[in-house]
Amino acid sequence: MCGIIGYVGKKDAVPLLMDGLRRLEYRGYDSAGIAVIGDKKVEVRRCLGKIAKLEELLLKRPIRGEIGMGHTRWATHGVPSDTNAHPHRAGSVVVVHNGIIENYLKIKSSLIKKGRQFISETDTEIIAHLIDEEILKGSSFEEAVRSTLAMVEGSYALLVMNEKEPELLIAAKKESPLVLGMGEEEYFVASDIPAILNYTRRVRFLDDGDITILSPYGVTIKDQKGNLVERRDEIINWTPVMAEKAGYKHFMLKEIFEQPRAVLDTFRGRIQQEKGVVFFEGLNIGPDILEKIKKIVIVACGTSWHAALVGKFLLEAYCEIPVEVDIGSEFRYRDPLVDKDTLLIAISQSGETADTLASAREGKKKGARLLAICNVMGSSLVRYVDGVIYTRAGPEIGVASTKAFTTQLTVLYLLTIHLGRIRRKITKSHGQEMIQALMQLPHLMEKVLEQDQAIKELAKKYSKAQNFLYLGRNIYYPIALEGALKLKEISYIHAEGYPAGEMKHGPIALIDETMPVVVLAMMGPAYDKIVNNIEEVQARGGKVIALCDHDNHEIEAKVADVLKVPSSTPELMPILSSIPLQLFAYHVAVIRGTDVDQPRNLAKSVTVE
């Protein structure tokens, strides 16, 4: 969603704010703006379009100040326009906001009756008016913010400045991410860590209801009643270089090539091969509880949901426990059958996905144990659940998820071993074998990445196709779903993923000589069935691109093109087979000239419904 950056210190805020906004571009946006206080006066610059347009505006109409805030907007209320771009101003008050104010129409109507005039179509503008109203009644800046927040319903991460108290920047959070950066005689606040990594790695994660007052003299955090609260400092071990492209043309390509390291980091220090066991720091759900769990429910959205589907295959096969997988946006709108004997696993790269958070709350309400699989330390999800397993993927800047997906699969594999050993469904020797296979995985992933040029040539061949079908069976059908999602996300080509056994139930009607069909044809119990599917496609003139094991030589005669994947155990092949599909989608998108890192209409973290 939208990006937020704020600064209080002794330096000119404008270059710092612009740098922070550039590092938040990956979140998706349609307009940008900044505001600073200089000589006790607020100056605002904002415009429709990319940050480059805002830079041009600042060259024509420069501003300067030591306190300021910036924003990249992704439209919810109001179309993308200069007028709807943030910051928004009313009287002496200027606001940037991420989230949705659900009762804004009621409040706006009331304010209009009082004579207030609105410039934009956004819900954010009412916040500026409400705060300004309270200040005009005699409230202090801080009191006015607190009173306003008591009136609004919905989610928000917001920053507020006020000309009448020009040394203060106030931040507030509810159900939208916000983090403080603690520098040397300077302070930052941002919606995501990469925005401030160049300046500090010492951060404080804010909780829902926190109201933070930043000034040149320090930071104070209070609750909504005005009571002081403490938030401990944490050190982020990401370096600024980790959030840069490191010579790659796009963040997505860099992150695809980072996957062997990311997977290694995910299992490093968590495996004991000699004992055939896995352990997690921060799990906080003991073996005595996990042994008695009668059902697992996994909730997730998008790519994380595809990882969850793979997790279902693993956990049911090796832990002999029933597993349900739910899309987060659907889970809470029925009456899910979860209770104290249920382990609810919420998967989210950012830990801020609104629907996944809501599902976790629904699970807790019904008494389930909550476990998060997440990449971002201190995010809203991990602070809500009973236990967390971090994926350790490092910053993922590209909107289309790659290394987050493969590290989520790695965590689910590790969790399978852990739970299987606890429940005595995986023997010590089998645990040792599974860990040995995992230790070999990063090397095999490197082997896949060596095929990048060949995959690029294949992308050239098929880049003009307008429709794709992706097919897989058993544990590979979620990978077919993910492969299709990657292609449609960044190339804007229509692509569908299907369990191959469902091909005759509809998709087969679409197949002709213009329809490339990507088939995951890995060795296993369903191999003969998938070969039958290939022949059915060929009989209808479809062009098959087959992913298969490195040692499979027979399939080449049956298909138009082949991508070979080094062989591993069936449980780890989904990780290896996802990488060629990521590279294929990437190269098709580059050839077609789309914005790979910031696809249209998409945001990295969906923090509203």
Side-chain angles (χ1 to χ4, degrees), residues 118-421:
F118 286 80
I119 297 171
S120 77
E121 303 167 300
T122 69
D123 54 342
T124 302
E125 192 178 354
I126 68 151
I127 299 172
H129 282 282
L130 287 173
I131 295 171
D132 188 54
E133 281 272 312
E134 295 299 310
I135 290 172
L136 291 175
K137 291 177 185 177
S139 297
S140 70
F141 184 20
E142 179 186 332
E143 291 168 343
V145 172
R146 189 176 298 111
S147 297
T148 294
L149 295 180
M151 294 182 233
V152 300
E153 299 170 5
S155 61
Y156 54 77
L158 58 90
L159 303 185
V160 194
M161 296 192 306
N162 170 29
E163 285 180 340
K164 295 182 179 179
E165 294 186 52
E167 289 193 324
L168 300 182
L169 175 66
I170 296 182
K173 173 194 182 311
K174 181 188 174 190
E175 298 177 5
S176 286
L178 212 54
V179 60
L180 287 175
M182 310 298 291
E184 297 297 326
E185 297 186 327
E186 60 183 0
Y187 307 96
F188 303 84
V189 59
S191 49
D192 209 350
I193 291 167
I196 59 177
L197 272 180
N198 258 7
Y199 311 104
T200 182
R201 289 194 290 160
R202 186 162 59 99
V203 303
R204 294 180 188 175
F205 293 103
L206 298 179
D207 282 348
D208 284 351
D210 284 354
I211 298 172
T212 306
I213 300 94
L214 299 87
S215 78
Y217 314 107
V219 171
T220 303
I221 306 175
K222 299 182 180 181
D223 63 20
Q224 291 188 330
K225 294 181 180 179
N227 302 311
L228 289 171
V229 295
E230 293 291 329
R231 299 287 174 246
R232 63 189 177 93
D233 288 0
E234 300 199 34
I235 304 300
I236 300 300
N237 58 12
W238 299 351
T239 65
V241 173
M242 290 175 73
E244 297 293 343
K245 292 181 183 175
Y248 288 93
K249 185 176 181 180
H250 296 97
F251 282 114
M252 183 181 177
L253 186 61
K254 171 179 177 280
E255 288 155 9
I256 290 171
F257 274 81
E258 285 177 339
Q259 288 177 110
R261 188 272 309 159
V263 165
L264 177 61
D265 285 348
T266 298
F267 69 74
R268 192 196 307 270
R270 289 171 165 168
I271 55 176
Q272 289 185 327
Q273 189 177 12
E274 186 176 346
K275 297 180 179 179
V277 297
V278 168
F279 63 93
F280 301 104
E281 72 294 343
L283 185 59
N284 295 334
I285 303 174
D288 56 328
I289 295 171
L290 292 174
E291 189 174 11
K292 296 173 184 176
I293 289 294
K294 294 179 180 177
K295 180 172 73 171
I296 295 174
V297 175
I298 311 178
V299 292
C301 300
T303 286
S304 297
W305 180 66
H306 298 156
L309 291 171
V310 175
K312 173 182 170 69
F313 281 99
L314 296 174
L315 290 163
E316 286 190 338
Y318 291 97
C319 303
E320 297 181 18
I321 184 169
V323 179
E324 297 176 8
V325 177
D326 252 295
I327 295 173
S329 57
E330 296 293 332
F331 180 77
R332 65 181 171 130
Y333 291 108
R334 58 186 181 85
D335 189 15
L337 298 176
V338 299
D339 56 25
K340 62 182 177 57
D341 296 321
T342 303
L343 176 66
L344 189 147
I345 304 174
I347 307 179
S348 170
Q349 188 281 141
S350 67
E352 303 293 348
T353 307
D355 289 317
T356 305
L357 277 164
S359 298
R361 294 189 189 101
E362 183 70 18
K364 179 170 278 191
K365 191 192 309 179
K366 291 176 175 288
R369 299 281 181 171
L370 302 186
L371 173 64
I373 296 175
C374 186
N375 189 40
V376 179
M377 184 194 308
S379 61
S380 297
L381 179 63
V382 304
R383 285 181 285 132
Y384 184 78
V385 297
D386 300 310
V388 59
I389 305 174
Y390 287 108
T391 53
R392 299 177 179 172
E396 187 177 67
I397 307 302
V399 167
S401 185
T402 52
K403 63 178 179 173
F405 178 65
T406 49
T407 54
Q408 286 169 354
L409 294 180
T410 304
V411 165
L412 288 163
Y413 181 84
L414 290 168
L415 182 61
T416 298
I417 299 172
H418 181 66
L419 195 57
R421 294 285 277 126

Side-chain angles (χ1 to χ4, degrees), residues 4-17:
I4 287 176
I5 177 74
Y7 174 78
V8 174
K10 297 181 178 179
K11 300 172 185 172
D12 180 14
V14 174
L16 300 174
L17 296 174

Side-chain angles (χ1 to χ4, degrees), residues 65 73 95 107 128 135 143 175 210 237 264 304 331 372 394 415 428 446 462 464 515 569 589 609:
R73 176 181 186 258
V95 174
I107 293 173
I135 290 172
E143 291 168 343
E175 298 177 5
D210 284 354
N237 58 12
L264 177 61
S304 297
F331 180 77
L415 182 61
K428 176 182 176 180
E446 295 282 6
Y462 290 100
K464 293 183 180 179
M515 169 76 87
T569 61
E609 287 190 81

